Structures are given as C-alpha cells and as structure tokens.
Amino acid sequence: MLSTAFLQSGRAPARPLELRAGPLTMHFEPETAFLRRIRLGGDEVIRAIYAAVRHQDWSTIPPQVTLTQQHVGPDSFHLAFDVHCTRGPVNYTWQGDIKGDASGRVRFEFDGISKSDFLRNRIGICVLHPIEECRGKSLSIEHSDGSLETGTFPDDIAPHQPFFDIRAMSCNVMKTGAIARLEMAGDAFEMEDQRNWSDASFKTYCTPLARPLPHPVKVGDRVQQSVVLTLGGKIPAKSLAGSRHAPQLTIGTSPIGTVPPLGLCVASHERALTAAEVDRLKVLKVAHLRVDLRLNDPAYPSRLEQAWNEARALEAGLHIALELGAESGKALAEFARHLERIQPRVLLWIILHETENPARERTVREVAPALQGFAPEALLAAGTRDFFTEINRCRPDPKAVSSVCYSTNPQVHAFDNITLVENLAGQVYNVESARQFSPRPVVLSPITLRLRNNARAADEKAGSVAELPSDVDPRQLSLLGAGWTLGSIAKLTQTGFVQSLTYFETTGWRGVMQDAGGSPLPAEFPSEPGDVFPIYHVLADLAEFGKCQVLPTHTTDPLVAEALALVNEMGRRRILVANLSGDPLELGVQTGPCSARVRCLDETTAETAIRRPQIFRRQEGEVQNAVSGRIKLKLLPFALARIDVG
C-alpha cells in the first residue's frame, strides 16, 4: 500500500520555518526557498518572494536548497542558503540571503553564477502580490529614471502587463493604514496579471519580456539582485494576528444553480477500456468524454470510433475537439462521411486551429454548417489548447455563435502543494473576467493538475518510459489531488457561468483510476492495475446523489478547507468537505439541528477506497449529531468527508 506521505500529497514536504520581522509574520520553505505569506495582522501584504531559473522553453528548473545559516529570533531573523538548479544543459548556482528586522524591514538577496552555457528566459527574483487584498487598489510606481506613475491593480484580468520599468512601488492594502514599499535592484522589473494562467496573484518580475528571448547565458555570467520590503504609514506596535481559530464552514439555504455537466478525456495511452474499467467508470455517470482529433492525422477515424464506443458504454456523449488546418474543406467532407458511418452522439464541438490561437469566430462560422448538419443540437466552442490568456488577448465578438474554451491547471509557474491550493481561486477569476466579454458560459476543458503535453511519446504508448512525463503528477493518486478537484468543482460551480467541466482522463496516470496495464513506473507512481484514485470518489459522491441543486458555501479559511453543498428534491443535503492542509483540522460545519452520517476518506480508509471501491462506497459513515447547529469535523491531513443530512 502507499506510504502515508505519498497517499496524502505525493510526498512529505519539509516543515516551513515560521518567521517574524517586527509586526510582520511569514514563513520560509526550506525545499523551495520561497518566503511566503508576509502578513500584517490579518492582511496579506505579499504572497511570496522567491527566485526562479527558467529555461528557454519557460520550464522552471527545480531548486536544490541547502540552508547554510539560520538565526530566528522573536522579532527578527537571518537566513542564508545555497541553491543549485540543474537539468539538461542548465547548471546554475545561486546564494540567497534573507533578513528581517524589528522595524518590519525584509530584504531578499540573490547572487547567482552560471556553471554552464545555456539559453534562458528568466533568472532572478519574483514577487507575488495577493489578488483579494490588491485588486482595484491604488499604487505608486517609481521608474528607473526617477519618474512616478500612479495607477491601480487591475480588477478584471489585464490581458497585458499593467506596469513596466519598476524600480520601486508603494501601495496600501492593509486595513491598518500601513503602506508597503518595495524597492528592486539589479535588473529592470515589470508586472503581469498571473490570473491569465489561473494563478491567484499579480507578479512583479525580471527581465522585461520586450527584450529578445531566449537570452544566452555563458559560464561565469553573474546576476545580483535584491528586493527590500519596508513599512510606512500607520504601523501597529505588534502584529494583530492573534490565536488561530478553527475554520468554520457556512452553508446558505437558497440554491444557486446546479453542478455543470462533468466529463473526462479519453485516455491518452489509447488502450481501450476493459469491461471491468467500464463498470467502475459507469458509477461516475459522466456526461461526456472529450476526444481530440486532428484532421491531418490518418489515425483519427479509429480514435473517433474508439472514443464513441467508450462513451456509449458509459452512457455519455462526446465532446469532439477538432483541430483544423489551412486546407480543411476536403478534410471536413471526409470527416462528415466518417461521422455518418460511426454515428456518435456529439454534445459539443471544440474548434481548434493549427495557426489560430484561439480559433477565430470566422473559422467557427465556416465549419458550423457541416458540423451542425450532422449534430444540429450540439454546441460550438472556439478553443485554445492553452490558457485563458489566449482568450483574454483575443476576445470574441459579443455576437459570437460559440462559447470560449480554454484549459487550466494550477502549476504553470510553481509546483508545490501550497501553490495548488492558492490557485484554486485563479479559476474563478478567469470565469468572472470572461463574463465581462463573453455572452455565453465558458467551457473549461481540460482541467488537469499539470500542464497538458499534447505530444505523446512513442515509448510511453509502448509502456516503456524512463521517467515521469512532464504532464504526470504523482498527486493524481493522492488525497490532495481529490481535495483540489473538489475545490475546483465547488468554486467553478458557484460562478454560475460555466457550460461544462472536463477533468483529467478516464484511466492511466492522468486519469481517475489505473488502467489494466498498471503504472509504467511503480516507484514514482505506485498504483496497481484497477486501483481507483481518491479523485474517483469525489466524482462518485456527486453522481450518486442524483438530481440536485447547489447551496452557496463560505469557508473562513479557503486555503485550508473547501466544500461543496448539495440539496436534492427531497430536501436531503450532501456536504463534501476537503482538508487542503497537511495538518489535522477541526472544522465547524453549519448544518442546523440535525443528525447526520459522516464518512471520511483519509489515510485510515484509503486502502479500502482504492483497492475495493465497491465496499468503500457501501459505507454510509458514522452517525453524528449537530451541536449548537454545527457538525464538528476532525479531519486528518488532506482528508475528505461526506456529510449526509436528512
């Protein structure tokens, strides 16, 4: 069976160092060298300060961090550390030095030197600014020539950089009236709205994107940078952060809609579903399967036929993502003949184009007659294989006949557990901004844990791989992966502007269960043939409850707990709750006076849930009576709970 650490979140990260600089609190991650959650009382001033080495393909080279000095006092600290970034042609070393003093001054220094020749897109310090505290707030920018600019953090997602040439910036995001000032040295900095990539932050970074990229790096090239945070204005004598209260979950009584149609992608390993896999997947009652077809690929007819056979076996329809080329007329006619022969039930056409990103509305209109001639009720979406940023920078005509479709994942820029949880909110910002310019609810497809790699390696298809592919995350089979999925569905559902959601794949290490072939790399992805992943049970709990509506939920600490509350036609309620932290959690759930059944999926029940899912699903849970109108949950790290009321 999986180790406890692997089951919880793929591995056991090192405990962060809790730090204080006068009135500011924060923590340092020894594994990533991130300085996170710089807070003044209850206000988050800075989400993170860190440094990144990014290759010419924008991949971030994982850091290997060694602490060399550690002094942590009651209101000050000093940390020094060495970082090695090595992968492929990249061999880069940097030294970090972070100091915080009793006045609330924090200094982050970067001193790097290259040990190899390579091409880079970025080397240096990044500062993340929290969205909720900053959006719509005014700030002052000091440029490299000393001139000043006054502006505001964007409310809706800015398609392009809102600020350039930043030497210093000052803003007031605190209730106390304190002013935070950042001073940058060593390079030119600018800001981007990372919500474009589903990150819940603004980012001030170097080097300006207007400079030619990639930039050559030679052995011995040196980079020295620093960022200094200071406080001004009305600063409290000490932090206002008191003792941490247990999070509370509040549930509304008036339904706000329904869960959008949920689907999965067909498995990229291209092996057909077995009868046993069909039986297990049918429990999920998915509305659709997504299949990607390139009309210039001679193998697409067999792929379409297999996808329809699997969708039909699961009593689902198809979302067909159709990639067009420059000469699509003849190919479309041939495609129409295959449709007539196979007769799939198509619910949605996602139009992609090899030279348009996203597909233009004129392209959708050109192909719509042929597609609607076969499936007149099917919806149309103009798609991108990439992110919301492509839609945001090429916004559709308000009179468009199609919805917009984009993919999303929480790990475009960073890969740790905290980033996954933080970026759940980024999915909501995407949808809310799309509402401002799109007349139709959005299609999110696919939603994955890692950036989707559309080029599948031949050796992976053959079942022989030397390392995990870039789009495979071991947390796919973890409790955190399940909690993240629950949080994603909960947050996106409550926007009320989503046409459909397509997650992961059916089987395999990108899926909701392991296929009959088993994991090609058991040491890195330790699953057995036929195992269902905890994600499976989140989808099964939704499907099993039947026709229902969604009740609004609010958690006092969404970075620790998320929930989705449902009510059916008989007034019964089902509340799904996830502990998104690596610590045990006591959570109060507002249910009103009631007797409920509570079933937990955690490290004590996971073996049954994964290896014998039918037995686990028959377990109704323990009876628990509400105290003062609340169910009191005690959840183990990254645990999930299902609460049935009524």
Side-chain angles (χ1 to χ4, degrees):
M1 187 54 191
L2 301 177
S3 69
T4 299
F6 203 104
L7 174 65
Q8 289 177 353
S9 63
R11 60 185 180 86
R15 301 293 298 181
L17 298 176
E18 301 295 334
L19 305 173
R20 194 176 194 113
L24 294 173
T25 59
M26 66 209 74
H27 66 259
F28 175 79
E29 293 178 351
E31 289 186 323
T32 63
F34 272 55
L35 189 65
R36 285 191 186 268
R37 306 267 174 84
I38 302 178
R39 303 179 70 89
L40 182 64
D43 297 317
E44 189 175 9
V45 182
I46 298 294
R47 174 139 288 185
I49 305 176
Y50 67 100
V53 176
R54 304 194 71 179
H55 196 212
Q56 63 175 331
D57 61 359
W58 284 112
S59 62
T60 300
I61 311 302
Q64 297 175 324
V65 184
T66 303
L67 269 171
T68 58
Q69 184 173 342
Q70 177 180 332
H71 171 74
V72 179
D75 60 0
S76 64
F77 64 89
H78 180 201
L79 304 175
F81 48 93
D82 294 334
V83 181
H84 296 276
C85 299
T86 57
R87 189 172 65 189
V90 180
N91 185 354
Y92 197 88
T93 299
W94 61 278
Q95 286 73 49
D97 194 273
I98 310 176
K99 295 185 180 74
D101 64 31
S103 71
R105 183 178 187 269
V106 178
R107 181 179 180 89
F108 190 115
E109 295 182 346
F110 174 100
D111 186 355
I113 189 166
S114 182
K115 306 292 186 179
S116 67
D117 296 345
F118 63 95
L119 295 174
R120 61 90 169 170
N121 281 353
R122 178 170 302 151
I123 292 178
I125 297 176
C126 300
V127 180
L128 303 185
H129 311 271
I131 296 295
E132 285 307 309
E133 284 82 354
C134 292
R135 61 189 295 189
K137 300 292 180 61
S138 61
L139 74 161
S140 174
I141 301 292
E142 181 180 321
H143 299 299
S144 57
D145 62 2
S147 62
L148 298 178
E149 176 186 0
T150 300
T152 59
F153 285 99
D155 196 354
D156 292 330
I157 301 176
H160 302 285
Q161 292 92 331
F163 299 104
F164 299 90
D165 185 24
I166 303 171
R167 186 172 71 183
M169 57 190 299
S170 299
C171 55
N172 181 355
V173 298
M174 284 78 77
K175 303 180 183 69
T176 63
I179 297 172
R181 177 175 171 82
L182 285 168
E183 298 179 11
M184 296 82 168
D187 202 343
F189 287 75
E190 61 191 24
M191 184 186 293
E192 68 185 11
D193 193 334
Q194 287 205 129
R195 292 176 294 176
N196 277 299
W197 297 273
S198 299
D199 290 60
S201 58
F202 302 102
K203 180 168 70 179
T204 299
Y205 63 90
C206 63
T207 307
L209 294 180
R211 295 183 185 176
L213 294 176
H215 184 79
V217 178
K218 299 297 183 182
V219 172
D221 284 357
R222 194 164 191 174
V223 174
Q224 293 177 301
Q225 299 174 359
S226 66
V227 169
V228 179
L229 168 67
T230 55
L231 297 176
K234 187 178 179 181
I235 306 172
K238 58 182 179 179
S239 174
L240 301 178
S243 59
R244 194 176 184 88
H245 298 289
Q248 302 294 313
L249 171 62
T250 303
I251 302 170
T253 57
S254 298
I256 56 173
T258 59
V259 176
L262 300 177
L264 300 168
C265 296
V266 297
S268 54
H269 57 62
E270 299 185 2
R271 292 185 289 274
L273 294 177
T274 66
E277 290 164 355
V278 168
D279 287 343
R280 286 193 169 173
L281 290 170
K282 284 181 74 172
V283 173
L284 307 184
K285 299 179 182 177
V286 294
H288 60 271
L289 295 184
R290 168 174 167 152
V291 59
D292 285 65
L293 305 176
R294 287 185 171 89
L295 293 189
N296 61 1
D297 179 0
Y300 86 76
S302 62
R303 190 171 297 118
L304 172 61
E305 192 162 4
Q306 178 181 322
W308 172 231
N309 288 339
E310 293 181 356
R312 183 168 49 191
L314 298 177
E315 301 176 3
L318 280 183
H319 284 191
I320 296 181
L322 194 63
E323 182 172 304
L324 307 172
E327 301 293 335
S328 297
K330 183 178 179 180
L332 270 174
E334 180 69 16
F335 179 60
R337 287 191 285 272
H338 289 298
L339 290 174
E340 290 296 336
R341 175 177 61 84
I342 298 170
Q343 288 292 306
R345 182 166 66 93
V346 183
L347 304 178
L348 174 72
W349 303 102
I350 301 172
I351 307 304
L352 306 169
H353 200 284
E354 61 184 18
T355 62
E356 300 173 1
N357 192 20
R360 303 292 192 264
E361 177 65 16
R362 67 173 181 270
T363 299
V364 177
R365 290 181 181 273
E366 286 173 1
V367 302
L371 301 178
Q372 292 177 324
F374 173 76
E377 302 300 320
L379 301 176
L380 290 162
T384 172
R385 294 188 185 278
D386 298 321
F387 311 106
F388 176 77
T389 184
E390 310 301 335
I391 303 293
N392 202 24
R393 292 174 178 174
C394 187
R395 297 183 174 185
D397 187 318
K399 298 180 181 179
V401 299
S402 57
S403 300
V404 298
C405 174
Y406 57 91
S407 71
T408 189
N409 79 85
Q411 299 186 77
V412 176
H413 298 107
F415 316 102
D416 55 279
N417 292 345
I418 291 176
T419 293
L420 261 68
V421 175
E422 287 176 344
N423 289 349
L424 281 169
Q427 298 180 9
V428 176
Y429 300 132
N430 289 169
V431 174
E432 294 297 350
S433 284
R435 192 194 296 268
Q436 305 305 313
F437 58 77
S438 175
R440 290 177 172 79
V442 301
V443 174
L444 274 78
S445 175
I447 304 169
T448 54
L449 287 182
R450 293 297 300 269
L451 174 63
R452 195 181 191 214
N453 178 8
N454 294 300
R456 304 300 182 196
D459 56 352
E460 183 186 342
K461 292 179 182 178
S464 174
V465 290
E467 61 181 14
L468 286 181
S470 62
D471 58 352
V472 173
D473 191 324
R475 288 169 290 194
Q476 189 82 21
L477 52 75
S478 72
L479 294 167
L480 174 58
W484 183 88
T485 304
L486 173 60
S488 173
I489 296 171
K491 285 183 175 296
L492 291 170
T493 291
Q494 292 189 79
T495 67
F497 198 67
V498 173
Q499 193 277 325
S500 62
L501 301 171
T502 305
Y503 287 88
F504 311 124
E505 296 181 2
T506 51
T507 63
W509 49 13
R510 303 175 185 87
V512 298
M513 64 176 291
Q514 186 59 59
D515 63 286
S519 170
L521 290 174
E524 289 81 5
F525 199 94
S527 58
E528 298 290 334
D531 281 358
V532 305
F533 306 152
I535 290 169
Y536 173 97
H537 291 290
V538 171
L539 300 177
D541 283 339
L542 289 170
E544 179 186 78
F545 201 58
K547 186 177 181 180
C548 60
Q549 292 184 294
V550 175
L551 297 171
T553 61
H554 172 74
T555 57
T556 56
D557 195 342
L559 298 180
V560 170
E562 270 296 346
L564 177 63
L566 311 169
V567 59
N568 67 12
E569 295 171 321
M570 297 178 290
R572 290 181 56 237
R573 287 175 289 164
R574 170 164 288 184
I575 307 163
L576 305 179
V577 183
N579 176 6
L580 299 174
S581 77
D583 297 313
L585 174 67
E586 293 190 7
L587 177 70
V589 182
Q590 181 191 53
T591 57
C594 72
S595 178
R597 284 193 174 271
V598 180
R599 188 205 66 195
C600 289
L601 173 52
D602 57 31
E603 60 202 54
T604 68
T605 59
E607 182 169 7
T608 300
I610 292 171
R611 300 277 156 81
R612 299 181 295 279
Q614 298 94 328
I615 294 175
F616 178 77
R617 298 221 54 77
R618 289 197 292 268
Q619 296 174 3
E620 295 182 343
E622 298 181 355
V623 175
Q624 186 171 339
N625 296 317
V627 177
S628 300
R630 291 184 181 275
I631 295 290
K632 294 184 178 180
L633 290 180
K634 292 185 177 181
L635 298 175
L636 292 174
F638 298 111
L640 296 99
R642 187 189 73 187
I643 306 171
D644 282 332
V645 181

